[in-house]
Amino acid sequence: MLPAFLLALREGLEAALIVGIVLGVLRKLGHNRQQVSVWQGAVAAIAVSLVAALLLYAVGLKMEGSAEQIFEGVTMLLAAAILTWMIFWMQTQGRRINRELETGVRQAVSGMGGNKGHWALFSVAFIAVLREGIETALFLTATTFTAGGQATLLGALLGLSAAAALGYILFATTRQLNVKRFFQVTSVLLILFAAGLVAHSIHEFNEVGWIPAVVEHLWDTNGLLDENSGLGLILKALFGYNGNPSLTEVLGYVVYWAALIFGVRRLPQALTAPGAGQAIR
């Protein structure tokens, strides 16, 4: 359940930071009574995200045979792509989040009055939190294919609970979390997880014949570390460990890391903390 915990913790804390920024701007502008609109928008976004997660999971359960393998492969590959893009995007664009949210809140309260002001603030919180929620729904769906539904659910609940607790500590007490270090560490872990998803997706495409294996078993380390053992399952869920991968699985893993290194060289600060966390500090 560790991958689900990390994903839910990371995305949950991002959502908490966003809500905190909006609430902080309202407090600064002297509109504390309008905070209820923000909470309503956030709760509505969470509800929509839960529905999306349940729908994705239900679709996966109904599929059988090659259709199931295609669905799992596409979902894992899409999750890996979005997860990687999210980390890089937060570095290049994340510094603008605080400013953009504050601008949106100021515009919402400038014409405050009646339903117009309520829905404006509702929309700011809803859209911001919904993006995190939909991403989480997709990531956790992909995680269920490697870690199992029960473990994913438990990990997600623990991660979201921890995110809520950290959010409360950040905004309701004088204690501070080193948000920069938090995002640095989780970015590295999630990139390792994304690389594993790429390998898993190629494995599924090998099974249905979309991508040829070329060499079915490039090596076999199951004698040393069985992928179905306790440690093997943990490594499989976290990093995509496969004791007997195909040649194209290995190539996909290598190509992912090559593309990542190329991106990091073009963006030297790619794995530093997003601006939202810096703004909160």
Side-chain angles (χ1 to χ4, degrees), residues 219-278:
W219 62 69
D220 192 340
T221 58
N222 282 318
L224 296 174
L225 177 58
D226 192 336
E227 63 188 56
N228 294 315
S229 65
L231 178 58
L233 289 173
I234 292 174
L235 294 176
K236 181 179 180 179
L238 277 175
F239 310 126
Y241 173 72
N242 186 351
N244 51 358
S246 69
L247 174 61
T248 46
E249 279 184 71
V250 175
L251 288 176
Y253 199 88
V254 172
V255 168
Y256 173 84
W257 279 105
L260 185 69
I261 292 171
F262 175 76
V264 169
R265 286 183 175 179
R266 294 191 62 184
L267 185 63
Q269 299 286 326
L271 299 182
T272 58
Q278 294 173 345

Side-chain angles (χ1 to χ4, degrees), residues 160-195:
L160 291 174
S161 298
L166 288 174
Y168 175 82
I169 292 172
L170 282 173
F171 301 111
T173 73
T174 57
R175 298 183 182 181
Q176 290 191 2
L177 169 72
N178 189 334
V179 178
K180 179 178 179 179
R181 181 60 59 186
F182 170 84
F183 281 108
Q184 284 177 333
V185 173
T186 55
S187 290
V188 172
L189 292 175
L190 293 182
I191 281 178
L192 290 171
F193 175 65

Side-chain angles (χ1 to χ4, degrees), residues 100-122:
E100 291 176 354
L101 283 173
E102 183 167 351
T103 299
V105 174
R106 286 183 179 277
Q107 291 175 348
V109 301
S110 62
M112 187 67 71
N115 289 331
K116 183 178 179 180
H118 164 75
W119 287 112
L121 287 173
F122 179 95

Side-chain angles (χ1 to χ4, degrees), residues 6 8 25 30 44 50 57 71 82 85 94 120 141 148-149 157 162 171 191 207 221 224 234:
L6 290 173
V25 174
L50 287 174
Y57 186 65
F71 177 78
I82 294 178
W85 169 83
T141 300
L157 290 175
F171 301 111
I191 281 178
E207 293 291 324
T221 58
L224 296 174
I234 292 174

